[in-house]
């Protein structure tokens, strides 16, 4: 890989890490933010909603801007907004200012959704799907970085928000590197079909509907597990400390799986991985429920994470191969479907769990995986590697 391509890859992976770290800022320090603002939990948690709304409301526009301005300029804007979020949230201690900073952070995350697939299509022409999987792994590592830093700082009697300032190193380094990148998008557009191997569709509406449904269902699954896994474990009689660790084990599985599937996707089609991984994740969760022991839940959650963690990048890979001529727009549509699911899932599951008990959360996750499997079958039947077969 040429030095310029290595720099482009670095910016893409750094952006995945940055967004992974930033998107969990509110959740990882929620009790401390409650004290900082001296407000109720149900009010402070809306910072997370503001972040999600910022991403969903602007990501499609961001995708169009990538086509007009180029990915590096849009990336610079997104990185700057995320830096403002990390700097402003702990520095200006005002709840309404915090909501604005969170919204801007969500807008900045839209740059990851739309720019990174384009950058990786330039740098990794021979293993585009695998590079997206690596990006997903970096996102997972970023999600570990924030709570880890907060924990280390609190253990050393330092303010929790120093973690935000430490994370600012990432956007500063990225902004310093960007002027040295050379990227001719006109030349890249001419070779786009070579860089991203197209995936042709037999029935376009059916194929696009299937991939967006898969994305929404997948987001519902990971959100449900993230929200209720610890509570479900406690409800089954597992201790509070062990229950919290179970969620960590699930996340570790997600990260390890994302790295492993970088290699798998060199040999196996993304459509096959999408279908098989959903089936394996469902089998792991069902097995844990049937065996119903602490050990089974730990093994089942690690296994489910191993197969589920990579799937968002697989979905993006398939969507952008279908829309290979407009990668940023295709990836923005996927991000919109996932983001809307992120917003709706807590509302829907909160209503259902409140009436049917926390145990229903696992059943809801299984239902959503079943939806993904059905849609993955439809997608598999309506896509082909060869243009003449369409």
């Amino acid at each position: 890989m040429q030095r310029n391509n290595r720099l482009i890859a670095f910016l893409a992976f750094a952006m995945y890490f940055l967004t992974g770290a930033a998107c969990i800022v509110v959740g990882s320090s929620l009790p401390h933010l409650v004290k900082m603002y001296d407000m109720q939990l149900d009010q402070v948690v809306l910072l997370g909603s503001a972040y999600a709304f910022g991403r969903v409301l602007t990501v499609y526009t961001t995708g169009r801007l990538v086509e007009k301005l180029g990915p590096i300029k849009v990336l610079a804007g997104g990185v700057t907004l995320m830096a403002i979020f990390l700097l402003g949230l702990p520095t200006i201690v005002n709840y309404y200012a915090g909501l604005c900073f969170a919204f801007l952070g969500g807008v900045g995350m839209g740059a990851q959704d739309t720019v990174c697939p384009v950058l990786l299509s330039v740098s990794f022409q021979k293993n585009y799907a695998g590079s997206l999987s690596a990006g997903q792994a970096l996102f997972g590592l970023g999600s570990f970085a924030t709570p880890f830093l907060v924990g280390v700082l609190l253990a050393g009697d330092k303010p929790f928000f120093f973690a935000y300032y430490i994370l600012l190193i990432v956007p500063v380094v990225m902004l310093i590197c960007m002027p040295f990148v050379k990227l001719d998008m006109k030349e890249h557009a001419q070779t786009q079909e070579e860089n991203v191997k197209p995936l042709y569709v037999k029935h376009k509406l059916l194929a696009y509907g299937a991939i967006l449904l898969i994305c929404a269902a997948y987001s519902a699954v990971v959100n449900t597990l993230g929200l209720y896994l610890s509570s479900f474990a406690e409800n089954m009689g597992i201790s509070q400390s062990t229950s919290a660790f179970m969620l960590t084990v699930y996340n570790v599985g997600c990260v390890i799986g994302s790295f492993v599937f970088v290699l798998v996707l060199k040999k196996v089609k993304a459509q096959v991985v999408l279908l098989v991984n959903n089936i394996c994740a469902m089998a792991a969760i069902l097995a844990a429920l049937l065996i119903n022991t602490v050990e089974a839940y730990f093994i089942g959650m690690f296994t489910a994470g191993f197969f589920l963690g990579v799937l968002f990048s697989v979905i993006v890979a398939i969507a952008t191969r279908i829309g290979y001529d407009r990668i940023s727009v295709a990836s923005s549509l996927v991000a919109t479907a996932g983001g809307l699911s992120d917003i709706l899932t807590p509302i829907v599951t909160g209503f259902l769990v409140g009436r049917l008990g926390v145990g229903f959360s696992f059943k809801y996750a299984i239902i959503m995986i079943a939806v993904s499997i059905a849609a993955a079958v439809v997608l598999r039947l309506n896509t082909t590697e060869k243009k003449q077969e369409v």
Side-chain angles (χ1 to χ4, degrees), residues 139-293:
F139 183 92
L141 289 176
S143 298
F144 277 114
T146 301
F148 175 77
L149 285 172
V150 170
V152 169
L153 289 165
L154 292 175
D157 294 324
K158 303 293 184 184
F160 76 95
F161 56 79
F162 278 15
Y164 301 2
Y165 297 146
I166 294 171
L167 290 171
L168 276 170
I169 295 171
V170 179
V172 169
V173 171
M174 291 178 68
L175 290 170
I176 291 172
C177 292
M178 284 180 199
F180 300 99
V181 173
K182 297 177 182 178
L183 183 58
D184 187 341
M185 287 309 296
K186 290 183 179 179
E187 179 183 339
H188 176 60
Q190 292 173 355
T191 60
Q192 191 71 38
E193 191 164 338
E194 298 175 8
N195 294 343
V196 179
K197 187 180 179 182
L199 186 63
Y200 302 104
V201 296
K202 299 175 182 177
H203 305 285
K204 183 172 289 188
L205 187 61
L206 199 58
Y208 275 106
I211 196 68
L212 294 178
L213 180 59
I214 292 167
C215 185
Y218 169 77
S219 296
V221 172
V222 296
N223 272 288
T224 300
L225 293 177
L227 285 169
Y228 299 106
L229 183 54
S230 296
S231 299
F232 175 84
E234 286 185 45
N235 190 61
M236 298 301 293
I238 301 172
S239 69
Q240 187 174 16
S241 58
T242 304
S243 298
F245 187 59
M246 188 180 293
L247 180 58
T248 302
V249 168
Y250 165 79
N251 286 322
V252 169
C254 290
V255 174
I256 293 175
S258 295
F259 278 122
V260 169
F261 277 94
V262 173
L263 301 176
V264 173
L265 286 163
K266 286 184 177 182
K267 304 293 183 181
V268 184
K269 293 178 182 178
Q271 306 95 291
V272 176
V273 170
L274 180 62
L275 178 58
V276 171
N277 280 30
N278 269 302
I279 294 172
C280 290
M282 175 183 276
I285 295 173
L286 285 172
L289 288 171
L290 290 172
I291 299 171
N292 197 31
T293 64

Side-chain angles (χ1 to χ4, degrees), residues 53-73:
F53 273 114
R55 179 191 180 195
V56 171
L57 292 177
T58 61
V59 68
Y60 181 76
T61 302
T62 304
R64 299 298 298 270
L65 285 175
V66 172
E67 294 184 328
K68 293 182 179 180
L69 303 178
I72 300 301
K73 289 181 180 178

